[in-house]
Amino acid sequence: MTTDTMITEVVLPGVVEPDGLRLHRRPMPAPRRGQALVQIDATGISFAEQQMRHDLYPGQPRFPFVPGYDLVGTVRSVGPDTDDSLIGTRVAAVTKTGAWASHAVVDVDDLTPVPPDLDPAAAETVVVNGVTAWQMLSAADLRAGQTILVHGANGGVGTVLVQLGRHLGLRVIGTAAARHHAALRDLGVEPLDYRDPATPARIRELSPDGVDAVFDPVGGPGVRTSYGLLAPGGRLVVYGNAAALGSARSVVWVFAKLLTRLYAWNALPNGHRAGFYNFWAGRLIRPAAFRRRLRTDLGIVLDLLRQGVIVPQIAARYPLTEVSAALVFAEARSRAGKVVLEP
């Protein structure tokens, strides 16, 4: 077969080190009715794939499978009785898996238009990360002048979250390793070292009345400290379970313990709110509404990127064929932002 009739994809065969990822070639898939074949221009490495490599991501497929949480690409063909005006347009989609490939078949209802003047890699940095940050900030119901604390402010979600927070007029305190502090200051963040045991006391000095919201991608024992830093009526939003990577317990047990703690705190008469942000909430119960909200929110974030309100934070770019090296780089967290794969 010729090159244009084959697809290249990355296969995660099991719990392996990054160099255990496999490149696989197979015939180009054909889209069915209501689907589009998208040539992927950019995809990325998120913490979800890092968890999947350890078999720690809730609901991940059985091995082997193709990872890849989201993509930006160009529609090359559509299925029968499907709008062919989509062909040639640039789109974005959240796939959860399957995007670490040269092409992917995606339901048309899951596609969001991407402004053609945007760099695909730049747009990729705000697909799942931007929607996550936008939806969390919207749900927190914050006002200009209030203070938020962002843990992991140098991460893929964190770097978008702090920029959106500053755009909304919020004061942003961010925790990250010291090597990321200069870059965070450039984004208008007041950075603190998450490894410094004096950091909670320093946050109380910076915001004596407490912070109005905390955004935490880690979970684990640190959520108790985060909860204790809230101002009256403040909100704790946990949106990840990174602590599970270092736990001897199963990921299900760690997650169940986290949710139990958050919901128990909501019963306390102190006005605080605590919850876990789930990107996929409502997808099974109200799929049409979920898709509409996702397209709307992603459209807003892409427009803010186009306007320059969000500056894309690209930690590094790698070709798809160097995915193992890209994953090693991403897991080292030596640079702020998102590692982008360019098939």
Side-chain angles (χ1 to χ4, degrees):
M1 289 185 176
T2 59
T3 302
D4 61 357
T5 62
M6 299 291 287
I7 178 176
T8 301
E9 58 191 11
V10 177
V11 176
L12 179 59
V15 179
V16 296
E17 293 301 312
D19 61 5
L21 294 168
R22 299 198 309 251
L23 285 174
H24 178 249
R25 299 266 291 165
R26 64 181 176 90
M28 189 75 68
R32 298 191 299 269
R33 182 176 181 179
Q35 294 182 325
L37 175 68
V38 180
Q39 177 183 306
I40 300 173
D41 300 318
T43 180
I45 298 177
S46 66
F47 189 70
E49 288 100 7
Q50 297 171 45
Q51 287 184 302
M52 288 178 188
R53 184 172 72 80
H54 295 276
D55 199 18
L56 291 176
Y57 189 83
Q60 72 181 74
R62 292 183 178 180
F63 298 117
F65 65 92
V66 178
Y69 217 91
D70 57 3
L71 62 87
V72 174
T74 306
V75 176
R76 291 306 180 201
S77 65
V78 296
D81 302 319
T82 303
D83 183 8
D84 60 7
S85 68
L86 290 169
I87 297 173
T89 61
R90 180 164 288 160
V91 294
V94 181
T95 55
K96 202 171 190 177
T97 59
W100 285 6
S102 60
H103 299 75
V105 172
V106 183
D107 287 349
V108 168
D109 288 343
D110 289 328
L111 300 178
T112 299
V114 174
D117 56 337
L118 282 179
D119 171 26
E124 162 59 25
T125 66
V126 301
V127 181
V128 70
N129 290 345
V131 171
T132 297
W134 179 260
Q135 291 184 349
M136 290 194 301
L137 280 170
S138 299
D141 193 24
L142 297 160
R143 303 184 306 276
Q146 291 186 309
T147 300
I148 64 172
L149 171 62
V150 178
H151 291 304
N154 60 297
V157 174
T159 52
V160 182
L161 184 57
V162 299
Q163 292 184 79
L164 289 174
R166 294 295 296 146
H167 174 62
L168 296 174
L170 302 173
R171 179 190 184 193
V172 180
I173 301 171
T175 66
R179 63 181 178 272
H180 300 299
H181 288 189
L184 290 174
R185 287 190 188 95
D186 290 341
L187 297 177
V189 178
E190 298 173 55
L192 296 172
D193 192 338
Y194 72 94
R195 291 173 296 192
D196 187 344
T199 289
R202 179 61 180 145
I203 293 169
R204 292 185 181 96
E205 291 176 5
L206 292 172
S207 188
D209 296 327
V211 296
D212 298 289
V214 179
F215 299 92
D216 185 345
V218 180
V223 296
R224 186 181 296 277
T225 301
S226 294
Y227 186 77
L229 293 169
L230 291 175
R235 181 161 189 163
L236 168 64
V237 182
V238 182
Y239 65 97
N241 197 22
L245 280 179
S247 173
R249 303 264 189 175
S250 75
V251 64
V252 174
W253 187 91
V254 174
F255 187 59
K257 182 179 180 181
L258 171 63
L259 291 183
T260 300
R261 174 176 289 172
L262 296 177
Y263 291 131
W265 283 339
N266 284 334
L268 298 176
N270 56 15
H272 294 345
R273 295 169 293 166
F276 188 90
Y277 168 82
N278 178 7
F279 184 94
W280 301 100
R283 188 188 187 200
L284 294 178
I285 301 172
R286 301 178 62 197
F290 172 86
R291 283 167 156 162
R292 284 196 301 271
R293 184 189 180 200
L294 175 56
R295 286 195 299 266
T296 298
D297 291 345
L298 180 51
I300 291 170
V301 174
L302 286 169
D303 191 53
L304 291 173
L305 179 68
R306 186 186 58 78
Q307 295 176 38
V309 171
I310 301 172
V311 178
Q313 303 297 302
I314 301 174
R317 301 176 187 235
Y318 283 83
L320 188 68
T321 52
E322 296 180 18
V323 63
S324 295
L327 187 55
V328 169
F329 183 88
E331 293 186 356
R333 297 178 182 84
S334 58
R335 291 187 64 184
K338 189 166 188 176
V339 176
V340 176
L341 299 172
E342 298 176 305

